[in-house]
Amino acid sequence: MDKEKNESIKKSADDHFSRVTNVRIEMLRRFINRSARDAKAETWDKIYTTLKPFLSGAEAETANEPPPRLGPAYRRHNELVAMTSNQKVLLDEFSMLSDALRKQVLDRLAAASQNAPATEYKSLTAEENQLMGYFTALPEEDAEKQLLEITAIATTELQRLRKELL
């Protein structure tokens, strides 16, 4: 009899949690048991806000802060879906460059695209929107050539930074 009560209470709690968070309880179990490597940011946000009041220990001290996220904001934004892989690579490489190299890349693309207007992505900075405007205005062949050159610049910069660290 007690086992049946426990099962019904557990099922009721599972159903309530699933309704509140709109996340399957199996996903939460896999995540807690570490059989799932990660959860999508939207899924984690739903789970975290529900579990936040019950956290104890070190998590309780930071319960008012959202969980840490890695990567730039544009990686998590819906506009990312509309971007091509070359655009995503360009943004990743651009974010790795120093300020001087960023200016150099922007000047290079501005000259190649004849100062095309900036894009209007809400998830990008003004500088990144300018970069994307220049890049998207280029013909496909020119864009690929420019991307290869920027990749070489970013690779050299990362190798230099790595030598400094080691």
Side-chain angles (χ1 to χ4, degrees), residues 13 17 28 34 69 74 80 82 89-90 100 112 117 137 155 158:
F17 182 83
L28 178 63
R34 297 181 185 199
R69 290 188 180 172
Y74 67 82
L80 178 66
V89 168
L90 178 68
T155 302
L158 288 177

Side-chain angles (χ1 to χ4, degrees), residues 76-127:
R76 299 183 308 269
H77 201 277
N78 293 337
E79 293 171 342
L80 178 66
V81 175
M83 291 183 192
T84 65
S85 2
N86 283 349
Q87 291 171 323
K88 294 173 195 174
V89 168
L90 178 68
L91 286 171
D92 284 340
E93 291 174 349
F94 190 72
S95 69
M96 294 179 222
L97 300 176
S98 66
D99 290 339
L101 287 175
R102 283 182 182 195
K103 180 159 178 29
Q104 180 184 350
V105 166
L106 282 173
D107 291 343
R108 170 193 298 253
L109 288 175
S113 68
Q114 298 159 350
N115 287 326
T119 57
E120 296 179 6
Y121 289 109
K122 293 176 184 163
S123 60
L124 300 180
T125 64
E127 188 179 45

